[in-house]
Amino acid sequence: MKNRFLKLLASVIVICIIPALVYNRYMQWVIRPQMKLIDQSPNRSHQSQRKVCGGSLANKGITWVDVDLCLISAYFDYFVKKTRVMGIKNRSRGSNFQCIFCCSNSTLQHTTAEAVVHSDHFDFPYGHTDILCSQPTNDCGSAYVSVNDSSSNVKSLHFLEIKNIQEKHNMEYTFVVCISPMFDNYDKVIQFIQHVEMYKILGAQKIVIYLTNSSSRMEKVLDHYSRSGILELVQWPIESYFTPSHGWKFPDHPGDIHYFGQIAALNDCVYRNKYKAQYVVINDLDEIAFPVQHENWAQLLEYLKVTYPKANNFMIRSHVFPEYMTDENNTFKMKNWDVVMKGKDLNILEHIYREPDRSWVFNPMKMIVSPQSIQHTSIHQILISPPDKETITLDSNIARLCHFRKPEQPELKKSDLIKDTSFWKYNVSLIENVNEVLQKTGISVRQ
């Protein structure tokens, strides 16, 4: 009886369980990644409500075209005299695209397209791509463009509004901050509020964030800043189309695309503000670029204009302020902030020790740029700019990028670190402003 039972059990395993496991693995590694991309594209009707030239007008950050291409935005580029469509493309796919312009009389004009994958893709399968569209042979008053490899089905076209059609020289803002995507249900409430208030003190008039997701507490903060006018949120549903990497290098950090599409977001932000801002400050969520010898960015730039009259763009060296090392005297330890902080949230006024610089190690600098003077940017460098536009790397005694993160040199003792209280000169305004935001948003405890 026992032997019969064991034989029956073995038969069940061979006939049912093993094939199921094989199928599951097949789905996981072969079919499922494609299903994620294919199955979600038809369910984007909420993105494309308005009809344009028989197709639909995309309006939600990322628009799916096919299994190998997403479109983000479109801008007329006065450098190359073409329409630049920004997207994310499978790097292994060919570039047999064409551009379809929707003319003012609702007719279509087709032009050639050149797809250029950005050089900084870090070996991930998908990379940020510029599709350069030749202009229609005659001026048809086009305000919308689509990209496709076939125009046989007009209803399947997703049109993007072409921005920057008119070149402007009177800028709405002096300083706009472009911040990398917010993801993983971001919940560093105190640190985020501190950063935004520091940006405002330093002179930011607009902050642009590409939002994948955040915590419910953070949603209240984002809503507060959006209503105040300082914050522009760009919906960034990158997880709906890809498995984004949490690191920078493939295959060490698995995923379809580098770090939640960071490069695509930053390039879009530069072009989005090309004729809105004199300067764009490119930062991550855990960084602040600030002047050491001046009170704000405006004073810093006035100094730099005199010192470097030919320069348009300025690189700022990064300095790591380890998360674990805080002020032993608790000078600015705020009890009402402590009850709000959870997880890896922190109070930047308590983090006054930075690691010494290592000249032989790559420094992940960030930048203050004139958006009119660059064509492609990466995270830590400008990739393409006109030859007459000069870029200067600033000495850390002039400007400093404070990066609050896990240590790069964990072997260092506290005595090996450099005490840096530069932020303390802003403490009065910063504390007052943070408390005001906490009060207005109703965030006073760990909710």
Side-chain angles (χ1 to χ4, degrees), residues 279-282 289 300-317 365-370 373 382 390-394 398-399:
Y279 295 99
V280 165
V281 182
I282 295 178
L300 171 64
L301 266 296
E302 285 301 316
Y303 164 78
L304 295 176
K305 287 177 184 177
V306 174
T307 309
Y308 307 103
K310 295 183 179 180
N312 297 81
N313 308 305
F314 303 95
M315 308 300 298
I316 302 175
R317 297 183 66 82
M365 294 182 280
K366 292 298 168 59
M367 56 197 98
I368 299 177
V369 302
S370 169
S373 68
I382 297 168
E390 189 174 347
T391 299
I392 297 294
T393 298
L394 300 180
I398 301 298

Side-chain angles (χ1 to χ4, degrees), residues 86 183 355 374 379 444:
M86 294 189 175
F183 55 88
E355 296 180 354
I374 63 175
I379 307 152
S444 57

